[in-house]
Amino acid sequence: MTYERTDSSDRHPATQYVRCDLLGVESVHCEQLWMIPDADASVHTLLVITEGMGVVWLGDDKHSVSIGKCFLALPGTTVKVSPHFNQVGFFRILFDRLIEVERTNGTRLYKKTSGGDFLDPGELIIPSPGRMLELAQGLHQCSLAHDIGSAYRKTMLFHEMLYELIQAATHSDAQLTKQAVQRTIRHIALNFGLDLTRNKLAEMAMLSPEYYSQLFKKISGKSVTDYLTHTRIRHAQERLVSSQERLSDIAKKVGYKDEYYLSRKFKQVVGVSPTAYLKLPKKIISLNPHLTRHLLTLDVIPAATVCYPWKFGEHQERLDAADCECRDWTVDFAEDELRSMKPDLLLCLDNISPDKLRLYSSIAPTLVISWYGSDWRGHLRTIARAVGKAQEASDCLSRFAAKAEQARAQIHRNANAAQTVSILNIRSETSFVYKNRGMGSQVVYEELQLKMPDVLRHASTDKSSIPVELDELLPAYAADHLLIAVEHSEAARRRTEQLLGNDRWLSYAANRTGSIHLAHMERWHGYDLLSIEWQLDEWLRLLAYDSPNKFL
């Protein structure tokens, strides 16, 4: 038998004696700022995002996070992950790149390297998000096993992942040119307020102005000038409906020298002046049920909306009569659906990814409501300005303020002001104690100014609720009044019955330590004026009515 040995001179110089050794795979879930441990800073780090939205910092470079994205950090790079909303999950894959420095008598000596022909650090081009998740999940599963087969499979999957990432990064010249033009389109989206011209953008893409213009129109469907104009006018529309800025200030922020030039361009694109645009009735699509209820407060019916399983209660008839399409909130409207409806305005919360926001803004002016940026009053005022109902919102809030003042006076007259209240929300698998922004907590603690239990008052959290185990509720959250809002599911109802049937809770109720009020979650979930007015009336009733262990 003859063996043929390949001489090293036949090898590609970029791959000569370089290998990658997998060091570890970890599944991470972070609800607040996460930083790579110092002990891992000396190795290569590959992140594969599995859930959530937020940002990743690789050194000083900031990248948006969405499911399936991959990021590579070289040794010595500071890595930080910050969630936007709830949590971000990712697989953290650690490895070394080693280069052979010496070979003697069959022994090879290697040293760590971060150079050579390899993947560029930062956000990686990926074959598909699903494929990267599949490989990363397989890697993690193998890392948890301890048999020899899993060890071999782990090595195979790791190198398969690197191979596919390298292949995805190795594009033809045509693909690289297309990417260069797409980078300038992203640059326009982020920097539309700057002095942008075709020649400057072409220089950025390293293409001739004429060739750049041809490719730009082929990719975007518009000329460079038209695309830039439409982008600026779209942002002007969003500022008009979401702020009270002067037109001259808006003009400068979107890239025009003064309000007269903006007005001329605005009328060319929209068909009316900025002032007339604000007064026009708008076809609205609401992408959050809380925002839809604000519209209903103002007697505005959207063309379409997402909704919770219980829909909009007694207000559903108004939506049905207007042929408003109500879509389950777990199923997004697809891009082609939104475009086909031709909305004049989209409403959403600020928990969406930057990519999704760019998509929405390409379809229609998009009003983004900051959930934590203001309370329900601020949400209502912002939406009212956008739909030309600012005075109506002001009138509604004035009437509610008078009603809340009367309610507080009634509580003081009845000597209830010093009473404590806890609000528990039981769902199929989880449970929460609410502090603000939901389940009637804003009515109890802000409008009626009743007291929290000490443990809740001293809780350090920037969230609206605190996750709790049911067996931890007493005595920590014992109060004069305990509202238990139960999700409309068999599992949640069963968990509630088990809770109220245990000895501690039976003793709590028997000793009249506090009043227990059971309620269905859907009436307490809203964070809008319609919901809060109902919750205010209901709390006044509850404070005078003891309803232990019976659903209201």
Side-chain angles (χ1 to χ4, degrees), residues 115-148:
D117 188 8
F118 192 56
L119 297 165
D120 292 329
E123 182 177 344
L124 301 178
I125 300 170
I126 56 176
S128 77
R131 176 59 176 161
M132 288 298 100
L133 286 172
E134 176 188 352
L135 289 170
Q137 287 164 352
L139 260 178
H140 184 248
Q141 290 170 0
C142 289
S143 70
L144 298 176
H146 302 290
D147 59 286
I148 188 67

PDB file of all heavy atoms in Angstrom, residues 115-148:
ATOM      1  N   GLY A 115      -5.219  37.078  13.591  1.00  0.00           N
ATOM      2  CA  GLY A 115      -5.055  37.612  12.251  1.00  0.00           C
ATOM      3  C   GLY A 115      -5.291  36.565  11.191  1.00  0.00           C
ATOM      4  O   GLY A 115      -5.857  35.510  11.415  1.00  0.00           O
ATOM      5  N   GLY A 116      -4.838  36.854   9.987  1.00  0.00           N
ATOM      6  CA  GLY A 116      -4.960  35.904   8.894  1.00  0.00           C
ATOM      7  C   GLY A 116      -6.255  36.072   8.128  1.00  0.00           C
ATOM      8  O   GLY A 116      -7.079  36.941   8.399  1.00  0.00           O
ATOM      9  N   ASP A 117      -6.444  35.200   7.139  1.00  0.00           N
ATOM     10  CA  ASP A 117      -7.616  35.234   6.278  1.00  0.00           C
ATOM     11  C   ASP A 117      -8.768  34.541   7.006  1.00  0.00           C
ATOM     12  O   ASP A 117      -8.882  33.318   7.001  1.00  0.00           O
ATOM     13  CB  ASP A 117      -7.296  34.525   4.961  1.00  0.00           C
ATOM     14  CG  ASP A 117      -8.406  34.686   3.948  1.00  0.00           C
ATOM     15  OD1 ASP A 117      -9.334  35.455   4.218  1.00  0.00           O
ATOM     16  OD2 ASP A 117      -8.339  34.028   2.893  1.00  0.00           O
ATOM     17  N   PHE A 118      -9.617  35.333   7.657  1.00  0.00           N
ATOM     18  CA  PHE A 118     -10.691  34.758   8.459  1.00  0.00           C
ATOM     19  C   PHE A 118     -11.876  35.710   8.402  1.00  0.00           C
ATOM     20  O   PHE A 118     -11.889  36.676   7.639  1.00  0.00           O
ATOM     21  CB  PHE A 118     -10.211  34.547   9.897  1.00  0.00           C
ATOM     22  CG  PHE A 118     -11.123  33.711  10.756  1.00  0.00           C
ATOM     23  CD1 PHE A 118     -11.480  32.425  10.361  1.00  0.00           C
ATOM     24  CD2 PHE A 118     -11.618  34.213  11.944  1.00  0.00           C
ATOM     25  CE1 PHE A 118     -12.319  31.655  11.147  1.00  0.00           C
ATOM     26  CE2 PHE A 118     -12.463  33.456  12.745  1.00  0.00           C
ATOM     27  CZ  PHE A 118     -12.802  32.169  12.340  1.00  0.00           C
ATOM     28  N   LEU A 119     -12.881  35.457   9.178  1.00  0.00           N
ATOM     29  CA  LEU A 119     -14.057  36.311   9.220  1.00  0.00           C
ATOM     30  C   LEU A 119     -13.722  37.681   9.815  1.00  0.00           C
ATOM     31  O   LEU A 119     -12.965  37.764  10.782  1.00  0.00           O
ATOM     32  CB  LEU A 119     -15.155  35.650  10.061  1.00  0.00           C
ATOM     33  CG  LEU A 119     -15.700  34.329   9.532  1.00  0.00           C
ATOM     34  CD1 LEU A 119     -16.486  33.614  10.626  1.00  0.00           C
ATOM     35  CD2 LEU A 119     -16.581  34.567   8.315  1.00  0.00           C
ATOM     36  N   ASP A 120     -14.308  38.724   9.246  1.00  0.00           N
ATOM     37  CA  ASP A 120     -14.135  40.056   9.819  1.00  0.00           C
ATOM     38  C   ASP A 120     -14.965  40.177  11.086  1.00  0.00           C
ATOM     39  O   ASP A 120     -16.097  39.684  11.154  1.00  0.00           O
ATOM     40  CB  ASP A 120     -14.578  41.126   8.822  1.00  0.00           C
ATOM     41  CG  ASP A 120     -13.658  41.205   7.615  1.00  0.00           C
ATOM     42  OD1 ASP A 120     -12.456  40.931   7.793  1.00  0.00           O
ATOM     43  OD2 ASP A 120     -14.146  41.530   6.521  1.00  0.00           O
ATOM     44  N   PRO A 121     -14.431  40.824  12.133  1.00  0.00           N
ATOM     45  CA  PRO A 121     -15.205  40.980  13.365  1.00  0.00           C
ATOM     46  C   PRO A 121     -16.408  41.893  13.149  1.00  0.00           C
ATOM     47  O   PRO A 121     -16.445  42.706  12.226  1.00  0.00           O
ATOM     48  CB  PRO A 121     -14.202  41.613  14.333  1.00  0.00           C
ATOM     49  CG  PRO A 121     -13.207  42.300  13.455  1.00  0.00           C
ATOM     50  CD  PRO A 121     -13.099  41.453  12.226  1.00  0.00           C
ATOM     51  N   GLY A 122     -17.409  41.759  14.030  1.00  0.00           N
ATOM     52  CA  GLY A 122     -18.630  42.544  13.931  1.00  0.00           C
ATOM     53  C   GLY A 122     -19.808  41.668  13.585  1.00  0.00           C
ATOM     54  O   GLY A 122     -19.813  40.452  13.835  1.00  0.00           O
ATOM     55  N   GLU A 123     -20.842  42.264  12.993  1.00  0.00           N
ATOM     56  CA  GLU A 123     -21.995  41.470  12.563  1.00  0.00           C
ATOM     57  C   GLU A 123     -21.623  40.674  11.320  1.00  0.00           C
ATOM     58  O   GLU A 123     -21.090  41.216  10.356  1.00  0.00           O
ATOM     59  CB  GLU A 123     -23.195  42.372  12.271  1.00  0.00           C
ATOM     60  CG  GLU A 123     -24.435  41.589  11.873  1.00  0.00           C
ATOM     61  CD  GLU A 123     -25.660  42.460  11.644  1.00  0.00           C
ATOM     62  OE1 GLU A 123     -25.640  43.635  12.075  1.00  0.00           O
ATOM     63  OE2 GLU A 123     -26.628  41.962  11.034  1.00  0.00           O
ATOM     64  N   LEU A 124     -21.911  39.382  11.335  1.00  0.00           N
ATOM     65  CA  LEU A 124     -21.509  38.499  10.254  1.00  0.00           C
ATOM     66  C   LEU A 124     -22.629  38.341   9.240  1.00  0.00           C
ATOM     67  O   LEU A 124     -23.819  38.341   9.585  1.00  0.00           O
ATOM     68  CB  LEU A 124     -21.135  37.123  10.806  1.00  0.00           C
ATOM     69  CG  LEU A 124     -19.990  37.089  11.826  1.00  0.00           C
ATOM     70  CD1 LEU A 124     -19.761  35.670  12.320  1.00  0.00           C
ATOM     71  CD2 LEU A 124     -18.701  37.653  11.228  1.00  0.00           C
ATOM     72  N   ILE A 125     -22.226  38.183   7.979  1.00  0.00           N
ATOM     73  CA  ILE A 125     -23.181  37.771   6.956  1.00  0.00           C
ATOM     74  C   ILE A 125     -23.515  36.308   7.205  1.00  0.00           C
ATOM     75  O   ILE A 125     -22.628  35.494   7.454  1.00  0.00           O
ATOM     76  CB  ILE A 125     -22.571  37.949   5.553  1.00  0.00           C
ATOM     77  CG1 ILE A 125     -22.212  39.425   5.315  1.00  0.00           C
ATOM     78  CG2 ILE A 125     -23.516  37.449   4.477  1.00  0.00           C
ATOM     79  CD1 ILE A 125     -21.382  39.651   4.067  1.00  0.00           C
ATOM     80  N   ILE A 126     -24.802  35.972   7.185  1.00  0.00           N
ATOM     81  CA  ILE A 126     -25.199  34.606   7.526  1.00  0.00           C
ATOM     82  C   ILE A 126     -25.972  33.980   6.369  1.00  0.00           C
ATOM     83  O   ILE A 126     -26.656  34.669   5.610  1.00  0.00           O
ATOM     84  CB  ILE A 126     -26.061  34.569   8.801  1.00  0.00           C
ATOM     85  CG1 ILE A 126     -27.284  35.472   8.667  1.00  0.00           C
ATOM     86  CG2 ILE A 126     -25.246  34.968  10.010  1.00  0.00           C
ATOM     87  CD1 ILE A 126     -28.224  35.416   9.848  1.00  0.00           C
ATOM     88  N   PRO A 127     -25.868  32.650   6.213  1.00  0.00           N
ATOM     89  CA  PRO A 127     -26.625  31.988   5.152  1.00  0.00           C
ATOM     90  C   PRO A 127     -28.124  32.116   5.366  1.00  0.00           C
ATOM     91  O   PRO A 127     -28.876  32.368   4.438  1.00  0.00           O
ATOM     92  CB  PRO A 127     -26.159  30.529   5.243  1.00  0.00           C
ATOM     93  CG  PRO A 127     -25.513  30.380   6.570  1.00  0.00           C
ATOM     94  CD  PRO A 127     -24.994  31.723   6.952  1.00  0.00           C
ATOM     95  N   SER A 128     -28.575  31.926   6.602  1.00  0.00           N
ATOM     96  CA  SER A 128     -29.975  32.157   6.980  1.00  0.00           C
ATOM     97  C   SER A 128     -30.041  32.123   8.499  1.00  0.00           C
ATOM     98  O   SER A 128     -29.311  31.367   9.141  1.00  0.00           O
ATOM     99  CB  SER A 128     -30.904  31.109   6.387  1.00  0.00           C
ATOM    100  OG  SER A 128     -30.809  29.899   7.103  1.00  0.00           O
ATOM    101  N   PRO A 129     -30.945  32.944   9.116  1.00  0.00           N
ATOM    102  CA  PRO A 129     -31.047  32.939  10.582  1.00  0.00           C
ATOM    103  C   PRO A 129     -31.396  31.567  11.134  1.00  0.00           C
ATOM    104  O   PRO A 129     -30.860  31.124  12.141  1.00  0.00           O
ATOM    105  CB  PRO A 129     -32.162  33.962  10.853  1.00  0.00           C
ATOM    106  CG  PRO A 129     -32.180  34.844   9.655  1.00  0.00           C
ATOM    107  CD  PRO A 129     -31.816  33.963   8.500  1.00  0.00           C
ATOM    108  N   GLY A 130     -32.313  30.864  10.439  1.00  0.00           N
ATOM    109  CA  GLY A 130     -32.730  29.555  10.918  1.00  0.00           C
ATOM    110  C   GLY A 130     -31.599  28.548  10.926  1.00  0.00           C
ATOM    111  O   GLY A 130     -31.492  27.719  11.842  1.00  0.00           O
ATOM    112  N   ARG A 131     -30.734  28.622   9.919  1.00  0.00           N
ATOM    113  CA  ARG A 131     -29.618  27.672   9.827  1.00  0.00           C
ATOM    114  C   ARG A 131     -28.626  27.897  10.954  1.00  0.00           C
ATOM    115  O   ARG A 131     -28.139  26.943  11.579  1.00  0.00           O
ATOM    116  CB  ARG A 131     -28.923  27.830   8.477  1.00  0.00           C
ATOM    117  CG  ARG A 131     -27.689  26.968   8.280  1.00  0.00           C
ATOM    118  CD  ARG A 131     -28.002  25.508   8.412  1.00  0.00           C
ATOM    119  NE  ARG A 131     -26.830  24.684   8.120  1.00  0.00           N
ATOM    120  CZ  ARG A 131     -26.700  23.411   8.495  1.00  0.00           C
ATOM    121  NH1 ARG A 131     -27.690  22.818   9.171  1.00  0.00           N
ATOM    122  NH2 ARG A 131     -25.616  22.736   8.200  1.00  0.00           N
ATOM    123  N   MET A 132     -28.325  29.155  11.269  1.00  0.00           N
ATOM    124  CA  MET A 132     -27.385  29.432  12.346  1.00  0.00           C
ATOM    125  C   MET A 132     -27.946  29.001  13.696  1.00  0.00           C
ATOM    126  O   MET A 132     -27.233  28.467  14.544  1.00  0.00           O
ATOM    127  CB  MET A 132     -27.040  30.925  12.362  1.00  0.00           C
ATOM    128  CG  MET A 132     -26.152  31.381  11.215  1.00  0.00           C
ATOM    129  SD  MET A 132     -24.515  30.583  11.220  1.00  0.00           S
ATOM    130  CE  MET A 132     -24.755  29.306   9.962  1.00  0.00           C
ATOM    131  N   LEU A 133     -29.250  29.223  13.897  1.00  0.00           N
ATOM    132  CA  LEU A 133     -29.881  28.780  15.147  1.00  0.00           C
ATOM    133  C   LEU A 133     -29.838  27.258  15.262  1.00  0.00           C
ATOM    134  O   LEU A 133     -29.582  26.712  16.336  1.00  0.00           O
ATOM    135  CB  LEU A 133     -31.328  29.275  15.199  1.00  0.00           C
ATOM    136  CG  LEU A 133     -31.522  30.774  15.472  1.00  0.00           C
ATOM    137  CD1 LEU A 133     -32.986  31.157  15.290  1.00  0.00           C
ATOM    138  CD2 LEU A 133     -31.056  31.130  16.871  1.00  0.00           C
ATOM    139  N   GLU A 134     -30.091  26.583  14.152  1.00  0.00           N
ATOM    140  CA  GLU A 134     -30.068  25.114  14.152  1.00  0.00           C
ATOM    141  C   GLU A 134     -28.684  24.587  14.541  1.00  0.00           C
ATOM    142  O   GLU A 134     -28.557  23.681  15.377  1.00  0.00           O
ATOM    143  CB  GLU A 134     -30.464  24.607  12.765  1.00  0.00           C
ATOM    144  CG  GLU A 134     -30.393  23.093  12.610  1.00  0.00           C
ATOM    145  CD  GLU A 134     -30.601  22.653  11.164  1.00  0.00           C
ATOM    146  OE1 GLU A 134     -30.948  23.511  10.319  1.00  0.00           O
ATOM    147  OE2 GLU A 134     -30.399  21.460  10.881  1.00  0.00           O
ATOM    148  N   LEU A 135     -27.634  25.156  13.951  1.00  0.00           N
ATOM    149  CA  LEU A 135     -26.276  24.702  14.247  1.00  0.00           C
ATOM    150  C   LEU A 135     -25.895  25.036  15.691  1.00  0.00           C
ATOM    151  O   LEU A 135     -25.294  24.208  16.388  1.00  0.00           O
ATOM    152  CB  LEU A 135     -25.287  25.347  13.276  1.00  0.00           C
ATOM    153  CG  LEU A 135     -25.345  24.847  11.831  1.00  0.00           C
ATOM    154  CD1 LEU A 135     -24.495  25.730  10.919  1.00  0.00           C
ATOM    155  CD2 LEU A 135     -24.854  23.397  11.740  1.00  0.00           C
ATOM    156  N   ALA A 136     -26.252  26.240  16.152  1.00  0.00           N
ATOM    157  CA  ALA A 136     -25.894  26.646  17.514  1.00  0.00           C
ATOM    158  C   ALA A 136     -26.629  25.793  18.545  1.00  0.00           C
ATOM    159  O   ALA A 136     -26.044  25.400  19.571  1.00  0.00           O
ATOM    160  CB  ALA A 136     -26.210  28.130  17.718  1.00  0.00           C
ATOM    161  N   GLN A 137     -27.898  25.496  18.289  1.00  0.00           N
ATOM    162  CA  GLN A 137     -28.652  24.649  19.212  1.00  0.00           C
ATOM    163  C   GLN A 137     -28.064  23.239  19.266  1.00  0.00           C
ATOM    164  O   GLN A 137     -27.958  22.638  20.339  1.00  0.00           O
ATOM    165  CB  GLN A 137     -30.122  24.603  18.794  1.00  0.00           C
ATOM    166  CG  GLN A 137     -30.864  25.907  19.090  1.00  0.00           C
ATOM    167  CD  GLN A 137     -32.183  26.008  18.353  1.00  0.00           C
ATOM    168  OE1 GLN A 137     -32.513  25.183  17.500  1.00  0.00           O
ATOM    169  NE2 GLN A 137     -32.951  27.053  18.659  1.00  0.00           N
ATOM    170  N   GLY A 138     -27.663  22.719  18.091  1.00  0.00           N
ATOM    171  CA  GLY A 138     -27.021  21.404  18.063  1.00  0.00           C
ATOM    172  C   GLY A 138     -25.714  21.396  18.835  1.00  0.00           C
ATOM    173  O   GLY A 138     -25.414  20.443  19.575  1.00  0.00           O
ATOM    174  N   LEU A 139     -24.931  22.463  18.676  1.00  0.00           N
ATOM    175  CA  LEU A 139     -23.675  22.592  19.410  1.00  0.00           C
ATOM    176  C   LEU A 139     -23.917  22.575  20.918  1.00  0.00           C
ATOM    177  O   LEU A 139     -23.222  21.888  21.670  1.00  0.00           O
ATOM    178  CB  LEU A 139     -22.992  23.912  19.035  1.00  0.00           C
ATOM    179  CG  LEU A 139     -21.861  23.898  18.021  1.00  0.00           C
ATOM    180  CD1 LEU A 139     -21.373  25.315  17.776  1.00  0.00           C
ATOM    181  CD2 LEU A 139     -20.724  23.034  18.481  1.00  0.00           C
ATOM    182  N   HIS A 140     -24.916  23.354  21.349  1.00  0.00           N
ATOM    183  CA  HIS A 140     -25.184  23.441  22.779  1.00  0.00           C
ATOM    184  C   HIS A 140     -25.660  22.111  23.343  1.00  0.00           C
ATOM    185  O   HIS A 140     -25.232  21.690  24.426  1.00  0.00           O
ATOM    186  CB  HIS A 140     -26.232  24.528  23.027  1.00  0.00           C
ATOM    187  CG  HIS A 140     -26.504  24.767  24.476  1.00  0.00           C
ATOM    188  ND1 HIS A 140     -27.706  24.447  25.076  1.00  0.00           N
ATOM    189  CD2 HIS A 140     -25.712  25.268  25.469  1.00  0.00           C
ATOM    190  CE1 HIS A 140     -27.655  24.744  26.351  1.00  0.00           C
ATOM    191  NE2 HIS A 140     -26.462  25.249  26.626  1.00  0.00           N
ATOM    192  N   GLN A 141     -26.536  21.423  22.607  1.00  0.00           N
ATOM    193  CA  GLN A 141     -27.009  20.114  23.067  1.00  0.00           C
ATOM    194  C   GLN A 141     -25.865  19.127  23.201  1.00  0.00           C
ATOM    195  O   GLN A 141     -25.782  18.370  24.170  1.00  0.00           O
ATOM    196  CB  GLN A 141     -28.076  19.589  22.110  1.00  0.00           C
ATOM    197  CG  GLN A 141     -29.390  20.358  22.178  1.00  0.00           C
ATOM    198  CD  GLN A 141     -30.352  19.978  21.064  1.00  0.00           C
ATOM    199  OE1 GLN A 141     -30.048  19.127  20.226  1.00  0.00           O
ATOM    200  NE2 GLN A 141     -31.514  20.626  21.047  1.00  0.00           N
ATOM    201  N   CYS A 142     -24.961  19.123  22.224  1.00  0.00           N
ATOM    202  CA  CYS A 142     -23.806  18.218  22.283  1.00  0.00           C
ATOM    203  C   CYS A 142     -22.881  18.568  23.448  1.00  0.00           C
ATOM    204  O   CYS A 142     -22.264  17.689  24.047  1.00  0.00           O
ATOM    205  CB  CYS A 142     -23.027  18.266  20.963  1.00  0.00           C
ATOM    206  SG  CYS A 142     -23.882  17.479  19.588  1.00  0.00           S
ATOM    207  N   SER A 143     -22.776  19.852  23.764  1.00  0.00           N
ATOM    208  CA  SER A 143     -21.886  20.256  24.849  1.00  0.00           C
ATOM    209  C   SER A 143     -22.419  19.800  26.205  1.00  0.00           C
ATOM    210  O   SER A 143     -21.656  19.689  27.167  1.00  0.00           O
ATOM    211  CB  SER A 143     -21.700  21.777  24.842  1.00  0.00           C
ATOM    212  OG  SER A 143     -22.890  22.439  25.226  1.00  0.00           O
ATOM    213  N   LEU A 144     -23.735  19.561  26.285  1.00  0.00           N
ATOM    214  CA  LEU A 144     -24.319  19.100  27.543  1.00  0.00           C
ATOM    215  C   LEU A 144     -24.172  17.593  27.728  1.00  0.00           C
ATOM    216  O   LEU A 144     -24.301  17.090  28.845  1.00  0.00           O
ATOM    217  CB  LEU A 144     -25.814  19.475  27.604  1.00  0.00           C
ATOM    218  CG  LEU A 144     -26.132  20.970  27.562  1.00  0.00           C
ATOM    219  CD1 LEU A 144     -27.641  21.189  27.539  1.00  0.00           C
ATOM    220  CD2 LEU A 144     -25.516  21.696  28.745  1.00  0.00           C
ATOM    221  N   ALA A 145     -23.918  16.886  26.616  1.00  0.00           N
ATOM    222  CA  ALA A 145     -23.734  15.427  26.693  1.00  0.00           C
ATOM    223  C   ALA A 145     -22.266  15.110  26.976  1.00  0.00           C
ATOM    224  O   ALA A 145     -21.370  15.949  26.789  1.00  0.00           O
ATOM    225  CB  ALA A 145     -24.186  14.776  25.389  1.00  0.00           C
ATOM    226  N   HIS A 146     -22.013  13.884  27.402  1.00  0.00           N
ATOM    227  CA  HIS A 146     -20.647  13.512  27.786  1.00  0.00           C
ATOM    228  C   HIS A 146     -20.160  12.240  27.094  1.00  0.00           C
ATOM    229  O   HIS A 146     -19.140  11.684  27.488  1.00  0.00           O
ATOM    230  CB  HIS A 146     -20.578  13.332  29.310  1.00  0.00           C
ATOM    231  CG  HIS A 146     -20.980  14.553  30.079  1.00  0.00           C
ATOM    232  ND1 HIS A 146     -20.220  15.695  30.116  1.00  0.00           N
ATOM    233  CD2 HIS A 146     -22.101  14.831  30.798  1.00  0.00           C
ATOM    234  CE1 HIS A 146     -20.826  16.616  30.853  1.00  0.00           C
ATOM    235  NE2 HIS A 146     -21.978  16.114  31.279  1.00  0.00           N
ATOM    236  N   ASP A 147     -20.862  11.787  26.067  1.00  0.00           N
ATOM    237  CA  ASP A 147     -20.425  10.585  25.350  1.00  0.00           C
ATOM    238  C   ASP A 147     -19.502  10.966  24.204  1.00  0.00           C
ATOM    239  O   ASP A 147     -19.487  12.117  23.745  1.00  0.00           O
ATOM    240  CB  ASP A 147     -21.640   9.806  24.840  1.00  0.00           C
ATOM    241  CG  ASP A 147     -22.496  10.659  23.913  1.00  0.00           C
ATOM    242  OD1 ASP A 147     -23.196  11.569  24.425  1.00  0.00           O
ATOM    243  OD2 ASP A 147     -22.445  10.446  22.689  1.00  0.00           O
ATOM    244  N   ILE A 148     -18.745   9.998  23.728  1.00  0.00           N
ATOM    245  CA  ILE A 148     -17.739  10.248  22.702  1.00  0.00           C
ATOM    246  C   ILE A 148     -18.378  10.671  21.385  1.00  0.00           C
ATOM    247  O   ILE A 148     -17.858  11.507  20.652  1.00  0.00           O
ATOM    248  CB  ILE A 148     -16.828   9.007  22.510  1.00  0.00           C
ATOM    249  CG1 ILE A 148     -15.663   9.348  21.574  1.00  0.00           C
ATOM    250  CG2 ILE A 148     -17.645   7.823  21.986  1.00  0.00           C
ATOM    251  CD1 ILE A 148     -14.696  10.332  22.156  1.00  0.00           C
TER     252      ILE A 148
END
